[in-house]
Amino acid sequence: MKTIGVALMVALLALSVGVTASYAHHAFGAIYESSAEVAFENVTIVSVAWTNPHTRIAFDVTDENGTVSRWNSETGSPSALSRMGWLRNAVKPGDVIDVALQPAMDGTKRGHLFRVVLPDGTEFNRRGAAR
C-alpha cells in the first residue's frame, strides 16, 4: 500500500511540474502588453525562423527621420500558422510588409506579432487569413 501512495505522490508531482512549465511557457501576459498595440507600415523582413515552439520574425522599422531600428517578434507555432493558411514562404527576408504586435513590457524592441499584411493585401492574423 505504501508503494502505491508513493507512486501516486510522484505522479501528481510530475503532473504539477508539467502544468506549471506549460503555463509559464504560454504566459504572454507576463512578457507582452496585452492591452497595447504597436503597428508599423512598410517594415523590411530581416529573418524568419519557422521553428517550434513559436515562429520568430525580425524586421527593420524606418522612422520619419530615416533611422532604422531592428524589432524581433514571435507568433504562433508553424503548425498553428499553417492551419490558419499562413505557409512557410508567406514572408521572406527582403519582403516589405505591415505588422501589428503587442510590445514587450520591458520596453525592448520586440513583441508578440498578431497581424501581418502582405503587399497584395493578404492579411494574416490570430484568426487566420482575412482575405
Side-chain angles (χ1 to χ4, degrees):
M1 192 65 160
K2 256 185 176 175
T3 305
I4 293 173
V6 170
L8 182 58
M9 281 181 34
V10 169
L12 289 174
L13 179 62
L15 180 61
S16 69
V17 168
V19 168
T20 302
S22 175
Y23 177 76
H25 172 80
H26 290 99
F28 284 106
I31 302 168
Y32 304 111
E33 292 281 351
S34 60
S35 61
E37 176 181 321
V38 177
F40 297 109
E41 294 181 349
N42 300 315
V43 304
T44 302
I45 300 294
V46 174
S47 65
V48 179
W50 189 265
T51 58
N52 284 316
H54 302 282
T55 299
R56 297 185 179 278
I57 300 175
F59 53 89
D60 285 340
V61 176
T62 305
D63 69 15
E64 61 278 351
N65 298 320
T67 304
V68 177
S69 60
R70 173 83 31 96
W71 280 72
N72 289 293
S73 66
E74 68 178 313
T75 190
S77 68
S79 60
L81 295 175
S82 294
R83 285 191 300 272
M84 293 187 305
W86 186 348
L87 302 178
R88 176 186 289 261
N89 61 354
V91 294
K92 60 190 176 310
D95 287 354
V96 177
I97 62 172
D98 299 341
V99 298
L101 50 83
Q102 295 168 313
M105 288 182 161
D106 65 6
T108 57
K109 292 181 170 133
R110 64 189 177 109
H112 182 224
L113 187 67
F114 66 87
R115 185 173 57 242
V116 168
V117 182
L118 303 179
D120 68 0
T122 300
E123 180 180 326
F124 296 101
N125 59 44
R126 288 189 179 126
R127 292 167 291 286
R131 48 184 156 109

